[in-house]
Amino acid sequence: MTQIEYALENKTTEEMKTVAKEENIDINVLRSKIAEGQIVIPANINHKNLNAIGIGKDLTIKVNANIGTSQSKSDLDNELLKLKTAVEAGADTMMDLSTSNDVEDIRNRIIENCTVPIGTVPIYQTLIEAGSVENLNIDAYLEVFEKHAKSGVDFATVHAGLTRAIFPLIKKRLMKCVSRGGSFLLAWMKYYQKENFLYENYDKILEIAKKYDVTISLGDGMRPGCIADATDEAQIHELKILGELAERTRQKGVQVMIEGPGHIPLNEIEKNMELEKKYCNNSPFYVLGPLPTDIATGYDHIACAIGGALAASKGADFLCYVTPKEHIGLPDIDDVREGVVVTKIAAHIADIAKGNKQAISRDNKMAHAREEINWQEMSECAIDKKKFLELRRQECEKNPDLKKADYCSMCGPFCVFKIYDEKES
Ligand code: SF4
């Protein structure tokens, strides 16, 4: 049985207990939200070393980090190091987006070493094995999907909402399609003049997902790739279909979340969150950004955190990280770490805005530690403890007097906490 089926029967799983404890949420409330489809716990029955997490309504905002090889760069050890780095930096989930020829081996090794939920996009491997878009077909896809499910993949992106009706709507776009999986399917539909085989055979995909409790992450092939295309007809048309598919998914006893934009100007982010909740019956929303500008290249992770913080404070449940290498190349280990930390900051800002008591309490502890100039306590509260300690070490190395001083090099003896101390007055 899947987590949603247990919830519908009012049964509590070990994974639900873990999530309730971690999030400090009543188990009955958690279970009813899973039953309603507002929360998912991606937990494949074959992912043995998994620490379960929940994604959705009233839970803390989660952060995903993408890793994986490309046809230009393939190094398993390096990908395993990225995995370790991302999880240590606080990634709540990982996606393996490998597209080199040894994807099968890479995925299995990543899952073996991954204690957080792992996601994949099975259409990538299907295309690699098929050799070309024209050779794609549903049987090849189902075979790959089952391999992923059997190996322990907890959530899988399925671009089933992209239908032939999209073609006239794409014509109006500045950038037609920026989703890799989406582009494969558009090319296939155009070549054969047939309907998307993932849409037509969606129930067959659900049968496999149900067998292993794979959470379906309904992919947004029409996510805008530039702010000029944001919230356009193509995007909303697909979103409505994703809402229908999400309902079918839950009825089959399979957990589901919705993937979302993309590039969205700041003033349209709230509206996008509302539309997803409206058309997809409050399904958890997994956003790939949003990037509120197209020109922050080299700093896209920062642009993404600005958009992500607003999106998550207005309804998004799950943020996919962006690294400084976005739109430039495959991220290296430092990029992965930077991307995770910056997106964790966005998630935490949103948790505060939503009134999460644990998040607010951590900030209050930091404020106390700062007032007391307690460096150790400050490091414990910081999102990136490692960077905090390193910067402090560098400061003390330059000026050893600072090690014992009750101020830092910013204001020196004019430290406000020394000049005005209520305890002494
Ligand atoms: S010296 Fe200035 S920056 Fe440093 S702890 Fe005191 S008030 Fe803060």
Side-chain angles (χ1 to χ4, degrees):
M1 274 171 59
T2 62
Q3 296 289 331
I4 190 170
E5 287 178 309
Y6 280 118
L8 285 163
E9 289 191 8
N10 254 331
K11 289 180 180 155
T12 303
T13 62
E14 284 307 311
E15 289 80 9
M16 290 176 201
K17 285 183 199 166
T18 304
V19 172
K21 191 172 169 210
E22 187 61 30
E23 301 271 354
N24 201 17
I25 180 173
D26 182 274
I27 190 85
N28 299 314
V29 173
L30 175 71
R31 205 176 42 234
S32 71
K33 289 196 190 317
I34 294 170
E36 289 163 11
Q38 295 192 47
I39 289 178
V40 294
I41 298 182
N44 185 313
I45 56 167
N46 285 347
H47 191 172
K48 301 300 178 196
N49 55 345
L50 175 70
N51 295 325
I53 58 132
I55 301 165
K57 179 90 176 144
D58 295 338
L59 302 185
T60 51
I61 305 300
K62 303 303 181 304
V63 168
N64 174 72
N66 293 332
I67 53 169
T69 58
S70 72
Q71 296 271 330
S72 319
K73 267 190 187 175
S74 181
D75 179 344
L76 173 60
D77 290 339
N78 200 41
E79 293 311 311
L80 290 175
L81 195 50
K82 285 184 195 170
L83 166 68
K84 187 169 177 279
T85 304
V87 174
E88 279 174 5
D92 300 291
T93 69
M94 299 294 303
M95 283 191 85
D96 170 23
L97 304 184
S98 293
T99 52
S100 53
N101 292 330
D102 45 358
V103 281
E104 190 80 21
D105 185 40
I106 289 174
R107 187 183 68 254
N108 289 331
R109 291 293 309 281
I110 286 176
I111 294 173
E112 262 171 48
N113 287 281
C114 191
T115 54
V116 299
I118 185 94
T120 57
V121 189
I123 192 77
Y124 295 174
Q125 189 179 343
T126 315
L127 181 71
I128 292 163
E129 290 181 1
S132 68
V133 165
E134 303 89 77
N135 292 337
L136 287 173
N137 60 63
I138 188 60
D139 293 333
Y141 181 84
L142 292 173
E143 197 179 310
V144 169
F145 191 92
E146 179 130 27
K147 276 187 202 167
H148 285 226
K150 206 170 181 179
S151 63
V153 166
D154 302 290
F155 61 102
T157 299
V158 181
H159 298 88
L162 204 53
T163 63
R164 291 181 73 192
I166 214 73
F167 284 109
L169 305 179
I170 300 178
K171 287 200 169 73
K172 301 173 191 170
R173 287 195 143 189
L174 189 61
M175 295 175 87
K176 308 298 177 209
C177 173
V178 296
S179 153
R180 226 172 351 187
S183 69
F184 300 164
L185 292 157
L186 283 181
W188 187 91
M189 286 190 275
K190 195 172 170 205
Y191 183 83
Y192 285 107
Q193 293 294 305
K194 281 185 181 171
E195 191 49 280
N196 178 354
F197 58 85
L198 300 182
Y199 178 75
E200 297 252 283
N201 295 278
Y202 190 57
D203 286 345
K204 291 181 185 166
I205 300 168
L206 293 182
E207 276 170 36
I208 302 170
K210 185 174 174 171
K211 198 161 127 192
Y212 301 92
D213 199 357
V214 176
T215 298
I216 298 288
S217 187
L218 282 167
D220 58 334
M222 285 294 103
R223 71 171 175 272
C226 57
I227 58 167
D229 294 333
T231 333
D232 71 348
E233 273 184 273
Q235 186 198 329
I236 303 306
H237 180 272
E238 186 188 32
L239 182 67
K240 289 179 183 171
I241 297 175
L242 297 184
E244 291 163 16
L245 292 171
E247 211 45 57
R248 271 172 67 188
T249 311
R250 283 187 284 267
Q251 280 167 13
K252 287 276 179 185
V254 176
Q255 302 185 95
V256 60
M257 52 190 174
I258 308 290
E259 291 185 15
H263 291 235
I264 300 276
L266 212 60
N267 55 309
E268 289 181 26
I269 287 178
E270 184 172 1
K271 182 179 166 195
N272 269 265
M273 302 306 115
E274 288 167 2
L275 290 174
E276 189 271 350
K277 296 295 169 190
K278 177 179 162 191
Y279 292 130
C280 303
N281 200 12
N282 296 310
S283 304
F285 199 18
Y286 175 22
V287 290
L288 314 177
L291 286 158
T293 173
D294 303 336
I295 62 162
T297 325
Y299 302 90
D300 272 333
H301 57 314
I302 294 171
C304 176
I306 294 168
L310 179 59
S313 71
K314 299 294 180 188
D317 306 282
F318 189 18
L319 302 177
C320 187
Y321 88 162
V322 158
T323 76
K325 278 285 174 56
E326 186 74 9
H327 301 109
I328 300 171
L330 198 69
D332 62 22
I333 287 160
D334 289 341
D335 298 322
V336 166
R337 187 171 191 284
E338 188 90 356
V340 172
V341 171
V342 167
T343 315
K344 286 296 281 186
I345 294 170
H348 180 74
I349 290 170
D351 285 336
I352 293 171
K354 290 169 72 187
N356 182 283
K357 290 195 176 76
Q358 285 167 301
I360 293 168
S361 152
R362 187 168 168 187
D363 279 53
N364 291 344
K365 267 190 202 153
M366 177 63 103
H368 282 301
R370 282 197 178 133
E371 191 155 39
E372 287 165 7
I373 315 194
N374 182 336
W375 299 104
Q376 183 56 37
E377 186 67 25
M378 282 186 245
S379 76
E380 295 300 331
C381 297
I383 287 180
D384 189 350
K385 180 179 176 179
K386 199 171 162 188
K387 185 159 187 176
F388 178 95
L389 291 173
E390 175 55 20
L391 292 177
R392 170 77 184 147
R393 190 195 63 74
Q394 287 174 16
E395 283 296 296
C396 292
E397 197 175 88
K398 277 185 261 170
N399 182 355
D401 289 348
L402 288 173
K403 275 188 196 161
K404 290 188 185 148
D406 51 359
Y407 51 77
C408 74
S409 59
M410 179 78 180
C411 330
F414 297 136
C415 174
V416 294
F417 303 122
K418 283 190 62 165
I419 290 175
Y420 177 71
D421 185 345
E422 209 168 53
K423 285 179 286 217
E424 285 172 8
S425 60

